[in-house]
Amino acid sequence: MARSLAMILAGGAGTRLEPLTRERAKPAVPFGGRYRIIDFCLSNFVNSGVYKMKVLTQYKSDSLNNHLSRAWRMTAFLGHYCEAVPAQMRTGTDWYKGSADAIFQNLNLITDDAPDLVYVFGADHVYQMDVRQMEQFHLDRRAELTVAAIPVPIEEAHQFGVIEVAEDGQVKNFLEKPKNPPPMPGNPKLALASMGNYLFNTDALVREVTADARAETAHDFGRNILTSMFSRARVFAYDFNTNLVPGQGERERGYWRDVGTIDAYFQANMDLVAVEPIFNLYNAQWPIYTHHPDLPPAKFVFANFEEKRVGFATDSLVSEGCIVSGSRVDRSVLSPKVRVNSYSEVSEAILMENVEIGRHCVIHRAIIDKNVSIPPGTKIGVDPAEDKRRFFVTESGLVVIPKGMKVA
């Protein structure tokens, strides 16, 4: 059995998720009520039997570091670990110049552990993946690099890095956001887009990032290493749609979301509240691990139907420590310690930890970050002009209230 090490790239600034990334790194942004975005990547590795993980951090990493130290304490007795590695500037005075440079600056982590294979995965996507199947694909083809790829409609492929492959999956070309993307073999309606997740033979990874460090490039795996490595080494694309997680339904296969924008992040959360979600958090065979705070169960109080003071939630995720008091919550995600007071209506909203909604409020299509108190009678998501005057609003009309904001 090959010895594997996972190098998780978690240092991105996540500027497109502003203001949610104003005080935290993108992988530390809460998701699905009680998780952080990085929990999905780390859970995939643990569920797949890869127990050695180095998380490379950089920008605004305190929240992420705290989460890793509390939630991801592995069994050191068995040689398991999930360790945060801050940018150490081992090769000079620069921060990481790109994804390849992040690995190059931390080659000591790889040489110290001496694995056979190294996974280089991003920490900011939402998906479930059994990486053992990708590893078997890699070994069967005697690959030096295997790139995880997802089929996308060919009319949308110009937004991605597109991989052109032979029938056996060997990479023939890599094109960054091409105007005329090449189709998948046997399916002219789809193209293979890179997911930014890589599996390297250790010697190949060390060779490539060392050579890249000496060159004048952007020091990026997608733009620099992948675009040339296929011409001199055995590089294959692994079709993510063939990956089947234990306990996963057929509808869920191939679910992968880049939650890099506010609207994409919001929609991915809304995917969770459907009666039959295409991304299922309730798969006991593939749990998503995270920190478990010591909080009481969620509570729904008041059944005064005459005064319409009834506490209930429909098609929603409600975390521990929440109190829905004489109010209505619909198609929403509530993180721990949220309180929604009487006569308020919350719909299609994401309320993060320790948010309080006062009485007689209306909250619609909004994301409210941690530690925000909404005064009684406030209406959000009702009057677009008023929302834009007071808050951050996306082009689609989604209102975002940053962490700790004092709402008048």
Side-chain angles (χ1 to χ4, degrees):
M1 183 176 179
R3 292 175 293 117
S4 302
L5 171 67
M7 301 285 281
I8 313 298
L9 303 175
T15 54
R16 294 182 301 159
L17 269 182
E18 173 74 25
L20 300 181
T21 51
R22 188 169 295 171
E23 296 187 26
R24 58 169 80 91
K26 180 180 173 183
V29 172
F31 184 87
R34 62 196 316 277
Y35 308 101
R36 304 292 183 115
I37 293 174
I38 195 173
D39 290 331
F40 295 88
C41 175
L42 299 181
S43 295
N44 287 333
F45 280 108
V46 169
N47 288 328
S48 300
V50 178
Y51 302 116
K52 295 184 177 184
M53 298 178 285
K54 298 283 189 178
V55 181
L56 309 187
T57 65
Q58 184 164 244
Y59 298 106
K60 301 177 184 177
S61 61
D62 182 62
S63 178
L64 179 58
N65 292 338
N66 289 339
H67 176 69
L68 293 174
S69 65
R70 295 167 185 171
W72 288 94
R73 290 174 290 182
M74 307 286 282
T75 308
F77 181 76
L78 298 176
H80 303 167
Y81 54 78
C82 178
E83 296 174 346
V85 181
Q88 301 177 75
M89 300 182 180
R90 293 177 62 91
T91 61
T93 59
D94 293 322
W95 292 85
Y96 299 144
K97 302 171 187 174
S99 55
D101 184 57
I103 298 298
F104 176 72
Q105 289 199 36
N106 290 284
L107 281 180
N108 63 299
L109 304 178
I110 297 172
T111 54
D112 288 350
D113 195 86
D116 301 311
L117 303 173
V118 180
Y119 290 91
V120 181
F121 273 46
D124 47 12
H125 299 132
V126 174
Y127 63 108
Q128 293 177 338
M129 180 182 186
D130 185 347
V131 300
R132 291 170 297 194
Q133 296 170 31
M134 180 178 177
E135 182 174 314
Q136 192 59 54
F137 176 92
H138 178 88
L139 294 173
D140 288 346
R141 284 153 183 79
R142 295 178 292 108
E144 293 182 80
L145 163 62
T146 295
V147 184
I150 186 167
V152 298
I154 198 161
E155 61 271 14
E156 300 175 12
H158 66 276
Q159 305 172 49
F160 304 94
V162 174
I163 307 170
E164 184 177 5
V165 298
E167 290 287 345
D168 63 353
Q170 186 161 2
V171 175
K172 297 165 56 180
N173 200 1
F174 180 83
L175 305 165
E176 185 67 30
K177 298 182 179 180
K179 293 182 179 179
N180 299 300
M184 288 179 60
N187 193 336
K189 295 182 179 180
L190 297 175
L192 278 177
S194 172
M195 296 167 62
N197 292 340
Y198 312 102
L199 176 57
F200 282 89
N201 290 352
T202 300
D203 57 349
L205 175 62
V206 173
R207 179 189 72 225
E208 294 296 329
V209 298
T210 301
D212 177 76
R214 300 190 185 109
E216 291 294 327
T217 74
H219 306 292
D220 181 80
F221 277 108
R223 280 180 285 175
N224 304 120
I225 290 181
L226 184 55
T227 51
S228 61
M229 186 176 170
F230 71 87
S231 63
R232 59 179 178 272
R234 292 181 62 81
V235 178
F236 284 78
Y238 173 72
D239 185 349
F240 177 59
N241 265 5
T242 66
N243 193 273
L244 183 60
V245 164
Q248 188 180 65
E250 189 61 34
R251 290 179 66 248
E252 302 169 56
R253 187 196 292 249
Y255 183 96
W256 177 81
R257 294 293 184 270
D258 179 355
V259 289
T261 66
I262 291 291
D263 287 307
Y265 169 84
F266 177 80
Q267 186 54 56
N269 272 273
M270 293 297 103
D271 287 345
L272 303 175
V273 302
V275 176
E276 295 184 11
I278 57 173
F279 187 70
N280 184 14
L281 297 175
Y282 297 88
N283 181 0
Q285 297 182 54
W286 203 265
I288 307 301
Y289 299 100
T290 192
H291 174 59
H292 299 279
D294 296 321
L295 293 171
K299 184 167 70 169
F300 302 81
V301 293
F302 296 118
N304 191 332
F305 292 94
E306 293 182 1
E307 294 185 9
K308 296 183 179 179
R309 191 184 183 192
V310 181
F312 67 98
T314 53
D315 296 341
S316 298
L317 298 180
V318 182
S319 302
E320 59 269 44
C322 290
I323 299 176
V324 179
S325 174
S327 53
R328 176 187 176 187
V329 176
D330 181 56
R331 284 188 54 76
S332 296
V333 177
L334 275 57
S335 292
K337 298 191 293 182
V338 167
R339 181 171 184 130
V340 186
N341 287 294
S342 294
Y343 310 109
S344 288
E345 296 184 8
V346 175
S347 60
E348 296 184 38
I350 301 170
L351 308 183
M352 295 189 188
E353 187 174 338
N354 204 35
V355 165
E356 180 164 1
I357 307 298
R359 288 187 168 200
H360 300 284
C361 290
V362 177
I363 312 295
H364 179 65
R365 280 183 52 79
I367 302 173
I368 303 179
D369 208 336
K370 296 173 63 174
N371 304 328
V372 173
S373 180
I374 303 298
T378 303
K379 290 179 171 55
I380 297 172
V382 177
D383 184 340
E386 179 66 11
D387 289 336
K388 290 179 180 178
R389 186 183 69 82
R390 302 177 67 192
F391 308 117
F392 178 92
V393 182
T394 68
E395 291 185 4
S396 68
L398 187 64
V399 181
V400 186
I401 299 179
K403 179 181 176 181
M405 180 179 179
K406 304 299 182 184
V407 179

